[in-house]
Amino acid sequence: MSYRAEYEGWKSDPEGYWLKQAQAIDWVEPPATALFDRGNDFYEWFADARVNTCWNAVDRHVERGRADQVAIIHDSPITGTQSKTTYAELKGQVASLAGALLAQGVATGDRVIIYMPMVSEALVAMLACARIGAVHSVVFGGFAANELAVRIDDCTPKAIIAASCGLEPGRVVAYKPLLDGAIEMADHKPDVCVILQRDQHPCDLTDRDVDWHACQEGVKPAECVPVAGNHPAYILYTSGTTGAPKGVVRPTAGHLVALNWTMKNIYQVDPGEVFWAASDVGWVVGHSYICYAPLIHGNTTIVFEGKPVGTPDAGTFWRVIAEHDVKSFFTAPTAIRAVKREDPKGLERQKYDLSGLRALYLAGERADPDTIEWAQDILGVPVYDHWWQTETGFTIAGNPAGLEALPVKIGSPTVAMPGFDVQILDEAAHPVAAGELGAIAIKLPLPPGTLPTLWNADDRFRKSYLTTFPGYYETGDAGMMDEDGYLYIMARTDDVINVAGHRLSTGAMEEVLAGHADVAECAVVGVTDALKGQSPVGLLCLTNGVNRPHDEIVAECVKRVRDQIGPVAAFKQAVVVDRLPKTRSGKILRGTVVKIADSEAFKMPATIDDPAILDEIKVALQTIGYAKD
């Protein structure tokens, strides 16, 4: 079936479409009704069903001939070790840990925080919670104690599962002091902490702690516990360091149906093949595409502990793909840019046979055309950008290559997936014409697997997502759609800047800057301008080995923007920096840069054209370690 026929089939009968997709899932009690309208723009999918996620991700594959198939490959270039876990072995490990959790008093509906590095046991912990109907909340390993504490207080876990440490290139991160500090800060106290001791840095245990292996000894393995279709599978907190975190709730049944659909239709893999998402279990990509989707679909998934460069070299990604015969590879543009910056000619890639790779998938931030073209050239496979959010859990807009590989238009994550009625709206919530910039919104209801609300925060859910455009989910992104239905994500709505009355996309300027041969990575932010309201400033990271005068490169970049976007952009200034301020997931901290540029030190009766302001921006960036001397 073609993409267009599939999409129109969904649109003509949304509930029938998703009930058909639900047939691929093993149900204890199958859904009789697809969609439940709870009123006030709240919806639930398959709420009348009963099902277990762990059964669908593990047990059913064992029963149907995949017991000896490898389910998880753990590859750690940091430790120089690899291990493989079959589906039969995974079932035994998960059932054993689930039994230990039951013995520690964890019951269906209880919350369990998981604070783990990139080890196979992180997936075992997630699946063990799913097996008994506990609601897990994975927190990125190594998050500061305060970040962990606010999550403890919000979801009030019965137990916390953690490791003694995490590993990063050149250093060991001790988790236990962070965990103990977080529990001390938090008002809520968990009953028990299950600690996986790692050889690289074992820790001392307190009276609250039990050892991962010791607590499983002599305990009866747990069977799968059926839960309602609308039972929370997990809570995942969106990133952010101020205020109460937003706990995205993932409903069990819709999660199973949607993720299973994506593995073949988007990522074009069949059961038994190897799929690799180079992310972290602490992020939504790790939930959806390291743990759940590949295992639900019967694939082999890779848990990778390392970085794209420096572990040990810029060929690490290509080595993993070649050694494990990866068919589809998913990572963030930041990771590919890091490889490109270190090895711009792709010499490391030439060492490996990547003939089994079908495609590279990019998501998590804007994928600039230069990075996509570079990756296409050195890999010799299609590079598919696609766009989704923590809130949705799977692709909003992408290239459904397993259904029909659509032509790639570089700069577009391509078209809306079944379930998502994507619209571009103006400030009055009216659709704009093709090619015009506006706010990206999705007509309600959202499809199965997307967030039905925030954890214990219905009012905040409505305020955050449903009030700006009544009847729509507000994505927070700005963009446009062309006449073929291809979507273009230009910026967060907060990053659309107003320069002398003209609404301009920082993303469009970034695309132009990234096309410069010497620029490895860049960001454009709008800073306060006394004359024009806002003016764009570029931050440029240069490709490894570039030693030309920075003034020359800046002048060339300014000319590129002027030539390709026009004088209306008023782009006149850029700063060469050593690295960009980023979140732990690799997203640029634009707000941090803007705050630096808009601080009181820069409040002077001059436009941003004043070189003194640019000098102060550079000094400010140097003080936090980002700019070159």
Side-chain angles (χ1 to χ4, degrees):
M1 181 180 288
S2 70
Y3 159 74
R4 184 53 57 190
E6 185 90 358
Y7 190 80
E8 291 302 324
W10 158 72
K11 211 165 187 180
S12 65
D13 183 12
E15 295 186 51
Y17 179 87
W18 288 115
L19 281 172
K20 181 179 179 181
Q21 307 313 317
Q23 294 173 11
I25 300 303
D26 278 12
W27 303 95
V28 177
E29 296 177 16
T33 303
L35 182 66
F36 292 78
D37 185 343
R38 303 305 191 190
N40 207 24
D41 288 337
F42 284 75
Y43 297 90
E44 291 181 332
W45 290 88
F46 312 127
D48 61 349
R50 292 187 66 76
V51 69
N52 183 271
T53 292
C54 186
W55 173 272
N56 279 277
V58 182
D59 297 60
R60 67 168 173 168
H61 302 309
V62 175
E63 289 205 352
R64 296 173 191 174
R66 297 191 181 277
D68 295 330
Q69 178 192 315
V70 174
I72 301 171
I73 298 171
H74 181 246
D75 190 306
S76 173
I78 297 179
T79 62
T81 61
Q82 295 182 20
S83 65
K84 296 182 178 181
T85 305
T86 67
Y87 272 100
E89 291 168 338
L90 182 60
K91 177 184 175 182
Q93 293 174 18
V94 170
S96 178
L97 181 61
L101 291 175
L102 289 175
Q104 294 294 332
V106 178
T108 299
D110 285 340
R111 275 76 61 206
V112 176
I113 279 182
I114 299 172
Y115 187 61
M116 300 280 281
M118 287 299 291
V119 291
S120 299
E121 288 88 348
L123 273 61
V124 171
M126 296 166 75
L127 292 163
C129 292
R131 191 171 190 86
I132 60 174
V135 183
H136 69 65
S137 182
V138 181
V139 178
F140 182 85
F143 249 177
N146 179 69
E147 290 288 326
L148 182 54
V150 295
R151 287 155 173 77
I152 291 172
D153 280 337
D154 194 68
C155 76
T156 60
K158 176 68 72 72
I160 296 178
I161 304 175
S164 61
C165 71
L167 305 177
E168 294 184 2
R171 72 186 187 116
V172 175
V173 181
Y175 283 7
K176 192 58 164 54
L178 297 171
L179 174 61
D180 290 343
I183 293 173
E184 185 176 349
M185 290 182 195
D187 293 328
H188 174 83
K189 310 298 180 184
D191 290 353
V192 63
C193 294
V194 179
I195 307 297
L196 174 69
Q197 296 279 22
R198 300 193 73 186
D199 294 340
Q200 293 80 10
H201 189 83
C203 64
D204 295 330
L205 302 184
T206 68
D207 292 341
R208 182 188 286 112
D209 305 326
V210 296
D211 178 81
W212 171 285
H213 296 289
C215 73
Q216 299 180 46
E217 294 177 0
V219 172
K220 181 181 178 182
E223 297 297 329
C224 293
V225 176
V227 298
N230 59 358
H231 180 81
Y234 65 76
I235 304 163
L236 179 57
Y237 290 95
T238 56
S239 58
T241 57
T242 59
K246 290 192 294 187
V248 170
V249 174
R250 190 75 65 217
T252 296
H255 182 232
L256 287 164
V257 173
L259 291 189
N260 185 73
W261 183 91
T262 64
M263 290 304 293
K264 176 63 177 178
N265 291 293
I266 296 175
Y267 300 108
Q268 52 182 328
V269 289
D270 293 317
E273 294 181 328
V274 181
F275 176 85
W276 179 26
S279 182
D280 189 282
V281 291
W283 313 129
V284 69
V285 173
H287 283 62
S288 292
Y289 292 107
I290 296 176
C291 184
Y292 288 114
L295 297 178
I296 292 164
H297 195 245
N299 292 103
T300 298
T301 188
I302 296 178
V303 176
F304 174 78
E305 184 179 45
K307 302 290 183 183
V309 294
T311 53
D313 53 46
T316 297
F317 275 3
W318 320 138
R319 189 270 302 167
V320 173
I321 292 169
E323 281 190 12
H324 303 305
D325 194 21
V326 173
K327 299 302 183 185
S328 285
F329 175 43
F330 176 2
T331 192
T334 291
I336 300 300
R337 282 194 289 265
V339 176
K340 173 176 174 283
R341 186 181 185 186
E342 190 71 20
D343 182 25
K345 295 182 179 179
L347 299 178
E348 291 294 329
R349 179 263 176 268
Q350 298 173 19
K351 299 177 181 178
Y352 301 98
D353 178 6
L354 305 186
S355 58
L357 184 68
R358 296 186 185 123
L360 166 64
Y361 292 83
L362 300 175
E365 57 180 324
R366 287 182 55 77
D368 58 279
D370 191 58
T371 296
I372 292 175
E373 290 168 353
W374 180 85
Q376 286 177 340
D377 288 344
I378 72 154
L379 292 176
V381 299
V383 176
Y384 296 126
D385 187 14
H386 60 318
W387 170 65
W388 48 293
Q389 300 178 325
T390 298
E391 289 86 348
T392 66
F394 70 102
T395 304
I396 302 170
N399 196 317
L403 184 66
E404 177 190 7
L406 300 178
V408 171
K409 295 184 183 182
I410 292 182
S412 171
T414 320
V415 294
M417 292 296 95
F420 294 100
D421 186 351
V422 177
Q423 303 286 330
I424 311 298
L425 305 178
D426 63 19
E427 293 177 355
H430 297 137
V432 304
E436 289 190 11
L437 184 67
I440 305 173
I442 302 168
K443 192 173 182 180
L444 296 174
L446 296 177
T450 56
L451 81 169
T453 189
L454 296 172
W455 180 252
N456 288 335
D458 287 352
D459 290 343
R460 190 178 184 191
F461 172 69
R462 283 195 55 81
K463 183 178 180 181
S464 297
Y465 303 105
L466 306 180
T467 56
T468 302
F469 305 112
Y472 290 87
Y473 165 86
E474 180 186 10
T475 68
D477 283 304
M480 60 187 181
M481 190 179 291
D482 69 15
E483 293 183 353
D484 296 325
Y486 279 60
L487 185 66
Y488 293 79
I489 314 298
M490 305 309 297
R492 294 294 291 174
T493 50
D494 291 343
D495 294 327
V496 174
I497 63 175
N498 194 316
V499 180
H502 299 283
R503 286 169 55 81
L504 299 172
S505 164
T506 56
M509 296 181 223
E510 289 171 359
E511 286 189 5
V512 174
L513 295 175
H516 190 287
D518 293 341
V519 175
E521 191 170 24
C522 63
V524 174
V525 297
V527 300
T528 300
D529 185 305
L531 180 63
K532 298 175 181 178
Q534 284 181 296
S535 284
V537 173
L539 306 181
L540 311 175
C541 292
L542 303 185
T543 301
N544 190 40
V546 172
N547 55 12
R548 298 170 54 209
H550 293 170
D551 289 349
E552 288 183 11
I553 298 170
V554 168
E556 291 165 4
C557 286
V558 169
K559 185 177 185 300
R560 284 179 64 88
V561 175
R562 185 177 181 87
D563 290 346
Q564 297 185 38
I565 295 180
V568 68
F571 185 87
K572 299 179 180 180
Q573 300 292 350
V575 178
V576 173
V577 299
D578 188 43
R579 58 194 177 97
L580 296 173
K582 293 179 182 178
T583 67
R584 296 292 293 270
S585 61
K587 294 183 180 179
I588 296 169
L589 288 163
R590 300 173 190 276
T592 298
V593 179
V594 172
K595 286 176 182 177
I596 291 171
D598 278 344
S599 68
E600 287 303 316
F602 305 148
K603 303 296 185 185
M604 56 185 69
T607 71
I608 196 67
D609 300 345
D610 189 329
I613 296 182
L614 267 296
D615 287 343
E616 289 202 45
I617 292 176
K618 189 165 184 176
V619 169
L621 288 167
Q622 285 172 340
T623 63
I624 56 172
Y626 291 111
K628 290 182 180 293
D629 293 334

